[in-house]
């Protein structure tokens, strides 16, 4: 949340509860909602890939895929961090839009 | 079976894509390993599922970007800009979701091609189906219309199941080429659907279907179970259905030279002799076959016999055999389609006879080690000659290397180590209707061109069957232990730097 301070916004200001409970409220939290869903889905994709890696292949041929899958899992973890930042940015956007639009 | 090599990095100007593993598969030879195609399928399904989930996530990020643009007029510039940049980075950045999903799909494509190959290889390990019984044969004679229908279905059905139908049967097929009288081959060649088996595998299945349905053309059950052909014993039960189908046609075709030229003979004329640098590795020796092409200046029907005088005083020979040069069968240039069908069926062709005569004319002694190297038809002829009783009596053939040759049904020549370079997308290697057997003396390199370095479909035969592509494949595979074993044997014959090599060229003509 250091980003909030750098933008001159109060880090302690309570985030409208309605955005946390219903991020799409009046549309201001829609981007956050989509990013959060995307993060969950992409995380699920990584879980599926990770589960496909058995401890021991029966097939030495399949071993050739292990390294590549592990690289992809690392890249997915990095993407998840990027998405975490995107959640922060879109939460800030939601707050900003909410306040500027004078929503109740 | 071993996975050995990857292709290089991304092309200039393109985003880097890590190479997909297992684009080069090596079966047989000295480095044995194990493949479980069911395990590959489970992994493939998991990767596909992960890809589908990622796609849903990507759709959500796309929606997020649209919402941000809608809110740009309301939010502060700084906040909107930050949200826009970060979400865009996650969505379409160099390591974003779009790129990752593409890489996951490429991995799935590579797994799918590997599975197709190994499923075919497992089929090839089974004995061929028995020849038709007398009862089945009588049924065919009594119901010729049914037979013809079955024969047509035998060809169309496997192609349709594989998605290569010339007509739209409602099955997965080639986009844009499913309707109308598009020849199957053209539809196949223009394939761009990554879900379809690659051409080499698809043609194996189609040729097998054709053979199963068409082997009834010959009343095998009324003929002796074993017979002699070109000096070798043949057992009908050991022949594959495509062989049973093609042999009668090949025998009939073998009368063409007599009809056209009044003779079954072949003339061998020495047309040149020159010193050449030794080819000191597998790719270099395979590439040397390319100089025999007429479009490279070689007279039609040219083969080359290279003598290597080693510094140790030893002498060895490398015989180079070219790919098909004439489509019309039976003409004066024997490097034609008649030689293809004859050699496929185990009949001595003019090229095989001419090659043995050339080897004798060049002065190959019974103690001299010999390697045979051929591209496409040249590989077929090399396998035929190496296994021929006359050649085995006259020469010590230790090594055979084929590139893009349909030789899966041919026996492994006694006393020789063979190496077969194949591409999954090469339709020509599928014309044998089976994969090569994996044995200690028989190594096959199967390279997937489509999934080597990012998915790339719609590869045309000019590339997948081309000699330069096979030379590159030889380069990629040569570090594998099984390939290196054969490559070392080949180098022992072709020579090393400092050895003296003389190339004798011979022109073969039917007359």
């Amino acid at each position: 949340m250091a980003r909030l301070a750098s933008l001159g916004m109060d880090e302690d200001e309570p985030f409208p509860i309605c955005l946390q409970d219903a991020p799409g409220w009046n549309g201001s939290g829609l981007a956050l909602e989509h990013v959060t869903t995307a993060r969950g889905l992409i995380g699920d994709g990584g879980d599926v890939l990770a589960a496909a890696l058995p401890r021991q292949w029966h097939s030495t041929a399949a071993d050739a895929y292990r390294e590549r899958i592990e690289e992809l899992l690392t890249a997915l973890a990095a993407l998840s961090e990027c998405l975490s930042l995107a959640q922060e940015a879109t939460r800030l956007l939601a707050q900003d839009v909410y306040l500027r639009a004078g929503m109740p | 079976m071993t996975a050995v090599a990857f292709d290089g990095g991304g092309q200039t100007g393109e985003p880097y894509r890590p190479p997909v593993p297992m684009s080069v598969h090596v079966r047989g030879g000295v480095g044995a390993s194990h493949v479980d195609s069911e395990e590959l399928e489970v992994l493939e399904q998991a990767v596909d599922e992960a890809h589908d989930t990622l796609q849903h996530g990507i759709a959500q990020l796309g929606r997020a970007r649209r919402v941000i643009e809608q809110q740009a007029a309301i939010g502060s510039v700084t906040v909107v800009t930050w949200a826009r940049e970060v979400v865009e980075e996650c969505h379409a950045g160099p390591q974003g979701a779009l790129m990752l999903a593409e890489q996951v799909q490429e991995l799935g494509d590579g797994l799918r091609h590997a599975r197709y190959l190994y499923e075919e290889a497992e089929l090839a390990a089974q004995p061929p189906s028995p020849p038709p019984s007398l009862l089945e044969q009588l049924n065919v004679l009594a119901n010729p219309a049914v037979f013809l229908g079955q024969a047509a279905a035998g060809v169309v059905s496997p192609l349709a199941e594989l998605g290569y139908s010339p007509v739209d049967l409602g099955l997965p097929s080639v986009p844009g080429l499913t309707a109308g009288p598009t020849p199957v081959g053209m539809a196949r060649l223009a394939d761009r659907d990554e879900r379809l088996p690659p051409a080499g595998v698809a043609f194996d299945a189609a040729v097998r279907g054709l053979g199963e349905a068409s082997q009834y053309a010959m009343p095998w059950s009324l003929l002796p179970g074993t017979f002699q052909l070109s000096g070798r014993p043949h057992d009908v039960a050991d022949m594959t259905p495509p062989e049973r189908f093609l042999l009668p046609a090949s025998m009939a075709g073998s009368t063409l030279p007599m009809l056209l030229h009044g003779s079954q003979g072949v003339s061998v004329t020495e047309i040149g002799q020159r010193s050449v640098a030794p080819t000191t590795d597998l790719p270099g020796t395979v590439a040397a076959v390319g100089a025999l092409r007429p479009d490279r200046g070689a007279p039609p029907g040219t083969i080359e016999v290279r003598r290597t005088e080693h510094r140790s005083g030893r002498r060895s020979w490398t015989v180079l055999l070219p790919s098909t040069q004439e489509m019309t069968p039976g003409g004066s240039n024997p490097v034609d389609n008649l030689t293809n069908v004859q050699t496929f069926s185990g009949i001595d062709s003019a090229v095989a006879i001419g090659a043995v005569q050339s080897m004798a004319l060049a002065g190959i002694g019974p103690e001299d080690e010999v390697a045979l190297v051929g591209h496409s038809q040249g590989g077929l002829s090399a396998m035929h000659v190496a296994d021929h009783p006359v050649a085995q009596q006259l020469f010590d053939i230790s090594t055979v290397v084929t590139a893009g040759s349909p030789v899966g049904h041919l026996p492994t020549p006694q006393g020789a180590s063979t190496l077969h370079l194949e591409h999954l997308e090469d339709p020509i290697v599928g014309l044998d209707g089976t994969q090569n057997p994996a044995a200690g003396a028989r190594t096959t390199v199967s390279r997937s061109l489509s999934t080597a370095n990012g998915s790339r479909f719609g590869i045309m035969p000019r590339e997948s069957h081309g000699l330069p592509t096979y030379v590159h494949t030889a380069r990629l595979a040569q570090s594998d232990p099984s390939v290196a074993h054969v490559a070392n044997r080949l180098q022992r014959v072709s020579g090393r730097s400092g050895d003296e090599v003389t190339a004798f060229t011979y022109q073969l003509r039917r007359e």
Side-chain angles (χ1 to χ4, degrees):
Chain A
M1 297 300 280
R3 181 78 185 184
L4 292 174
S6 71
L7 292 170
M9 302 185 78
D10 184 0
E11 290 181 39
D12 297 327
E13 183 179 341
F15 197 71
I17 191 72
C18 56
L19 291 186
Q20 290 172 1
D21 291 342
W25 185 80
N26 265 5
S28 64
L30 268 180
L32 170 61
E33 181 181 11
H34 290 313
V35 169
T36 303
T37 307
R39 190 180 179 196
L41 286 165
I42 288 167
D44 290 347
D47 291 344
V48 170
L49 266 188
L53 271 182
R55 296 286 173 269
Q56 180 74 48
W57 294 111
H58 294 114
S59 156
T60 50
D63 260 341
Y65 293 96
R66 175 185 296 279
E67 190 180 346
R68 184 73 190 106
I69 292 176
E70 285 172 348
E71 284 172 4
L72 286 170
L73 288 173
T74 304
L76 282 168
L79 176 60
S80 183
E81 284 182 22
C82 182
L83 285 165
S84 171
L85 195 61
Q87 280 181 297
E88 186 184 337
T90 48
R91 184 160 50 199
L92 183 59
L93 176 67
Q95 187 179 20
D96 188 48
V97 168
Y98 171 80
L99 294 174
R100 283 170 181 267
M103 291 171 180
Chain B
M1 304 180 202
T2 318
V4 287
F6 303 155
D7 273 356
Q11 296 172 348
T12 307
E14 296 284 327
Y16 171 72
R17 287 193 181 90
V20 176
M22 295 285 287
S23 63
V24 177
H25 309 264
V26 180
R27 292 174 286 131
V30 296
S33 62
H34 178 64
V35 170
D36 181 345
S37 59
E38 285 181 13
E39 200 169 56
L40 290 179
E41 186 170 11
V42 168
L43 186 52
E44 174 196 334
Q45 286 169 352
V47 170
D48 282 349
E49 186 185 338
H51 179 257
D52 288 346
T53 311
L54 282 176
Q55 288 293 353
H56 291 304
I58 286 167
Q60 290 292 327
L61 286 176
R63 290 186 192 113
R65 288 181 70 177
R66 283 195 294 277
V67 170
I68 292 169
E69 294 312 316
Q70 287 164 3
Q71 295 179 344
I74 307 170
S76 76
V77 173
T78 314
V79 172
V80 168
T81 302
W82 185 44
R84 181 187 281 144
E85 284 176 358
V86 174
V87 174
E88 184 181 341
E89 179 75 10
C90 295
H91 186 220
Q95 288 299 318
L98 281 169
M99 181 58 75
L100 276 179
E102 198 171 322
Q103 291 177 7
V104 170
Q105 179 163 5
E106 287 164 1
L107 181 65
D109 292 339
L111 274 160
R112 193 159 24 257
H113 275 212
R115 177 173 61 81
Y116 285 139
L117 169 67
Y118 287 117
E119 282 176 351
E120 274 295 311
E122 284 168 9
L123 273 180
Q126 308 296 321
S129 59
S133 67
L134 180 59
L135 188 60
E136 290 169 324
Q137 201 80 48
L138 289 172
N139 266 337
V140 165
L141 290 173
N143 304 289
V146 174
F147 162 66
L148 289 173
Q150 285 176 342
V155 181
V156 172
S157 173
L159 284 171
E161 284 171 14
L162 294 166
Y164 301 117
S165 171
V167 292
D168 190 352
L169 299 176
L171 294 163
S173 193
V174 181
L177 281 172
T178 53
T182 312
V184 169
M186 291 305 292
R188 172 63 257 185
L189 301 184
D191 161 47
R192 289 181 185 277
D193 187 340
E194 72 278 4
R195 296 274 163 180
L196 299 180
V201 174
F203 270 60
D204 265 344
V207 168
R208 204 162 48 240
L210 174 67
E212 291 282 357
S214 308
Q215 59 183 329
Y216 293 90
M218 191 81 161
W220 292 106
S221 58
L222 301 177
L223 300 172
T226 56
F227 59 94
Q228 289 280 323
L229 186 64
S230 295
R232 279 174 290 194
H234 278 63
D235 190 327
V236 176
D238 291 338
M239 293 167 67
T240 63
E243 285 181 281
R244 293 184 201 125
F245 159 62
L246 198 59
L247 180 59
S250 302
M251 294 176 79
S254 296
T255 61
L256 264 179
M258 178 64 82
L259 295 172
L260 295 172
H261 311 287
S263 155
Q264 297 271 29
V266 55
S267 71
V268 177
T269 309
E270 184 179 332
I271 56 172
Q273 189 179 132
R274 68 192 195 285
S275 287
V276 295
T279 54
T280 56
D281 60 7
L282 172 68
T285 308
V286 173
V289 179
L292 303 176
R293 293 168 57 97
D295 61 8
R296 296 269 301 271
T302 297
I303 71 167
E304 192 164 286
V305 181
R306 293 185 169 194
R307 183 185 65 207
T308 303
E309 308 273 7
H310 299 264
R311 281 175 291 180
S312 63
R314 191 169 58 89
R315 174 185 280 191
S316 59
W317 304 78
T318 308
V319 181
L320 306 178
L321 298 165
S323 58
T324 306
Q325 297 169 355
E326 289 288 345
M327 293 298 116
T328 310
S332 57
N333 180 1
V335 187
D336 65 353
N337 268 326
L338 177 57
T339 287
N340 285 333
V341 294
Q342 286 177 316
T343 315
F344 182 92
S345 303
I347 298 171
D348 291 341
S349 70
V351 170
I353 295 167
V356 172
Q357 288 181 3
S358 302
M359 291 161 72
L361 280 172
I364 301 180
E367 306 297 324
D368 297 344
E369 193 174 354
V370 180
L372 304 178
V373 182
H375 174 221
S376 193
Q377 178 195 105
L380 261 174
S381 296
M383 288 292 282
H384 182 87
V385 168
D387 191 47
H388 200 284
V390 171
Q392 288 195 337
Q393 194 173 5
L394 293 174
F395 311 118
D396 173 20
I397 299 171
S398 69
T399 313
V400 179
V401 177
T402 74
S405 307
V407 294
H409 63 297
L410 297 181
T412 307
Q414 199 174 3
S417 283
T418 69
L419 172 65
H420 310 289
L421 303 172
E422 300 188 349
H423 297 145
L424 298 188
E425 296 79 5
D426 184 350
I428 303 299
V429 300
L431 294 179
D432 50 12
T434 184
Q435 290 290 318
N436 300 334
R442 196 157 183 174
T443 301
T444 299
V445 174
S446 297
R447 179 179 168 215
S448 167
L449 302 175
S450 305
T451 62
N453 189 17
S455 297
R456 183 171 65 94
F457 296 95
I459 293 172
M460 300 300 282
R462 182 180 175 82
E463 178 184 351
S464 62
H465 189 59
L467 188 62
T469 320
Y470 277 113
V471 171
H472 186 54
T473 298
R475 191 169 294 119
L476 289 173
Q478 63 185 344
S479 61
D480 173 82
S482 295
V483 179
H485 175 75
V486 184
N488 287 338
R489 287 175 72 110
L490 180 65
Q491 192 183 11
R492 197 173 69 202
V493 177
S494 63
R496 290 177 167 78
S497 182
D499 293 338
E500 285 184 21
V501 180
T502 308
F504 302 88
T505 47
Y506 298 92
Q507 187 176 27
L508 314 184
R509 307 278 293 173
R510 284 199 192 96
E511 57 181 27

